[in-house]
């Protein structure tokens, strides 16, 4: 397909992989990012992979005049994939207003500009966090949305409602994609997650420990009601996730959507425990690293994995990559960062 697609947060982790997939499918991409949690050099790396340079606009979605200018400059935008948001669960508990202001103002400004265009097709980056601890597993899209555990999670719930209500009463068409746990890196070794400071998430913590940037991984809790006592998650390769955004967008552009706002789970449908994830990393990398158990981390759900039937049937999409490939690409990315792929500041220990 062709046409212009605006990708907010397009230099971020999932955004950058999605830009590459969009380019592979023939779309012209325009990235809007304020670089608050990403690096401008990612634009060069995307270009190295795809051979096509995405347009880049440094702007904050909270600045509506800047967003309007971008819509005016490019004109005739076929669709928008909206990633740009703050995403650290713990930080959102400490700074709730900052999260509500950034994530909701950004969305509303973006939607206002979209609604002024003749086409308003949006793919939204949502999260399985909306399910909390589901009553039934695997969790389907019909499961109750539970009271959010964090302001971050609440911004995802509220955003889905804003999008759903607005699409119902306007020409907007939207798909919200509820991600499970995105991990891994691009097969080229040129794109991956760039956590700033001490990582919150399991896989960046594992790779940083294995490379020697961290002394030891802490495994949060071994007394959960799971086979080995550690929490279970549905890890999904970031490139599989990126591919799902392209098919979701195509569905909107071709008018194949069955509702004005559709919602799909994006996972593999398989759950792995923290210990299984550690073992998969060790097998994929050949590196054994230090870890120890500690108490539970507040707010963690015990187990969650996706029912992906709806995405498989309606989007014609299925995750392809297994846990070991997720781990081997994450490891390659960590090694490339350590070797200075983004310059030297990313390979200094900051414990
Ligand atoms: N874990 C550890 N040690 C660590 C980090 C994580 O044992 O240092 C464990 C966690 O307790 C959990 C599992 O590894 O059992 C996965 O934790 P992550 O932090 O990688 O991911 P979460 O499932 O907590 O969070 C993810 C996304 C959030 C989203 C949430 C929804 O990162 O954006 O899923 O449940 F809100």
């Amino acid at each position: 397909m062709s046409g212009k697609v605006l990708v907010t947060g397009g230099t971020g982790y999932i955004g950058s992989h999605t830009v590459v997939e969009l380019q592979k499918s023939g779309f012209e991409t325009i990235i809007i990012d304020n670089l608050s949690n990403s690096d401008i050099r990612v634009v060069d790396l995307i270009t190295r992979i795809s051979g096509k340079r995405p347009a880049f606009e440094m702007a904050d979605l909270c600045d509506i005049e800047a967003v309007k200018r971008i819509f005016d400059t490019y004109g005739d935008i076929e669709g928008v994939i909206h990633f740009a948001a703050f995403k650290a669960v713990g930080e959102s508990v400490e700074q709730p207003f900052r999260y509500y202001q950034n994530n909701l103002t950004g969305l509303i400004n973006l939607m206002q500009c979209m609604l002024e265009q003749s086409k308003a097709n949006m793919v939204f980056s949502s999260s399985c966090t909306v399910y909390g601890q589901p009553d039934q597993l695997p969790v389907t899209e019909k499961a109750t949305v539970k009271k959010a555990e964090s302001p971050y999670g609440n911004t995802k719930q509220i955003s889905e409602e804003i999008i759903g209500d607005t699409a119902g009463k306007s020409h907007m068409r939207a798909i919200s994609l509820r991600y499970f746990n995105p991990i891994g890196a691009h097969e080229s070794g040129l794109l991956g997650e760039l956590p700033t400071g001490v990582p919150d998430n399991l896989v960046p913590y594992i790779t940083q420990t294995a490379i020697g940037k961290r002394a030891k991984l802490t495994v949060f809790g071994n007394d959960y009601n799971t086979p080995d006592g550690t929490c279970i998650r549905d890890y999904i390769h970031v490139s599989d996730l990126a591919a799902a955004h392209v098919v979701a967008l195509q569905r909107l552009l071709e008018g194949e959507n069955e509702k004005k706002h559709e919602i799909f789970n994006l996972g593999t449908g398989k759950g792995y425990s923290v210990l299984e994830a550690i073992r998969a990393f060790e097998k994929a990398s050949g590196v054994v690293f230090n870890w120890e158990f500690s108490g539970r981390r507040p707010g963690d759900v015990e187990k969650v994995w996706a029912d992906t039937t709806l995405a498989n049937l309606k989007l014609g999409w299925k995750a392809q990559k297994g846990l070991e490939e997720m781990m081997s690409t994450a490891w390659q990315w960590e090694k490339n960062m350590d070797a200075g792929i983004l310059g030297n500041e990313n390979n200094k220990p900051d414990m």
Side-chain angles (χ1 to χ4, degrees), residues 247-289:
V247 290
L249 182 71
Q250 284 167 337
R251 179 175 173 86
L252 293 176
L253 300 188
E254 284 161 11
E256 287 170 352
N257 53 308
E258 292 167 13
K259 285 187 278 184
K260 294 299 293 295
H261 178 219
E262 295 181 310
I263 295 176
F264 296 103
N265 284 343
L266 295 183
T268 64
K270 289 194 204 80
Y272 291 99
S273 73
V274 178
L275 295 188
E276 285 173 323
I278 292 173
R279 278 197 289 274
F281 173 82
E282 290 182 340
K283 189 158 176 231
S285 66
V287 178
V288 173
F289 63 94

Side-chain angles (χ1 to χ4, degrees), residues 23 30 53 58 65-66 96 147 171 181 197 207 273 309 315:
Q23 291 178 321
I30 302 141
R53 194 166 192 85
M58 166 115 171
E65 295 309 321
K147 182 173 165 31
H171 64 297
N181 286 55
T207 57
S273 73
T309 310
L315 296 179

Side-chain angles (χ1 to χ4, degrees), residues 87 89 127-129 152 181 200-202 205 217-220 231 233 235 274 297 300:
K87 62 170 188 178
V89 178
S127 166
C128 71
T129 192
Y152 158 77
N181 286 55
D200 290 323
N201 296 117
L202 179 65
Y205 212 106
L217 168 77
T218 304
V219 174
F220 300 129
C231 292
R233 295 287 182 276
Y235 297 97
V274 178
R297 180 170 71 174
D300 269 342

Side-chain angles (χ1 to χ4, degrees), residues 11-254:
T11 48
Y13 175 43
I14 305 170
S16 57
H17 288 79
T18 302
V19 169
V20 168
E21 291 299 318
L22 285 165
Q23 291 178 321
K24 267 188 1 201
S25 303
F27 289 105
E28 189 185 326
T29 53
I30 302 141
I31 295 173
I32 305 187
D33 206 301
N34 66 0
L35 300 177
S36 64
N37 191 25
S38 61
D39 192 300
I40 186 64
R41 285 166 292 186
V42 167
V43 177
D44 295 331
L45 296 170
I46 291 172
T47 310
R48 266 174 72 185
I49 295 172
S50 66
K52 281 188 245 170
R53 194 166 192 85
F56 177 80
E57 294 288 340
M58 166 115 171
D60 192 323
L61 295 181
C62 293
D63 177 355
I64 186 140
E65 295 309 321
V67 185
K68 277 187 178 158
R69 267 197 304 278
I70 294 167
F71 274 83
D72 288 346
T73 305
Y74 291 92
D76 205 19
I77 288 167
E78 294 287 328
V80 174
I81 305 188
H82 178 42
F83 295 102
F86 293 156
K87 62 170 188 178
V89 178
E91 188 181 65
S92 79
V93 174
E94 296 308 316
Q95 304 172 17
F97 184 69
R98 195 169 149 252
Y99 269 68
Y100 287 118
Q101 185 174 47
N102 183 69
N103 293 5
L104 299 180
T105 309
L107 173 72
I108 286 172
N109 286 349
L110 181 66
M111 287 174 65
Q112 182 175 331
C113 294
M114 290 176 70
L115 289 167
E116 285 166 10
Q117 316 294 313
S118 58
K119 292 175 198 149
N121 298 308
M122 170 183 261
V123 178
F124 175 65
S125 164
S126 190
S127 166
C128 71
T129 192
V130 302
Y131 299 121
Q133 177 59 64
D135 300 326
Q136 279 190 327
L137 288 168
V139 62
T140 73
E141 292 82 354
K142 289 201 166 68
T144 320
V145 167
K146 300 250 175 93
K147 182 173 165 31
E149 292 272 354
S150 68
Y152 158 77
N154 208 18
T155 67
K156 293 296 177 193
Q157 294 185 3
I158 296 169
S159 296
E160 283 191 5
E161 287 177 6
I162 293 173
I163 293 167
D165 290 349
T166 306
K169 295 287 176 195
S170 70
H171 64 297
M172 177 168 275
R173 292 185 288 200
I175 293 180
S176 290
L177 299 175
R178 292 179 176 164
Y179 315 152
F180 283 66
N181 286 55
I183 63 167
H186 195 265
E187 60 184 5
S188 63
L190 295 174
L191 294 176
E193 196 167 1
L194 274 178
T196 43
V198 182
D200 290 323
N201 296 117
L202 179 65
V203 174
Y205 212 106
I206 289 178
T207 57
Q208 290 195 9
T209 310
I211 207 129
K213 263 181 106 176
R214 313 262 157 225
K216 197 179 274 184
L217 168 77
T218 304
V219 174
F220 300 129
N222 59 352
D223 58 351
Y224 286 99
N225 182 24
T226 60
D228 65 20
T230 64
C231 292
I232 295 178
R233 295 287 182 276
D234 184 341
Y235 297 97
I236 172 163
H237 195 288
V238 63
S239 295
D240 278 333
L241 204 60
H245 289 74
V246 179
V247 290
L249 182 71
Q250 284 167 337
R251 179 175 173 86
L252 293 176
L253 300 188
E254 284 161 11

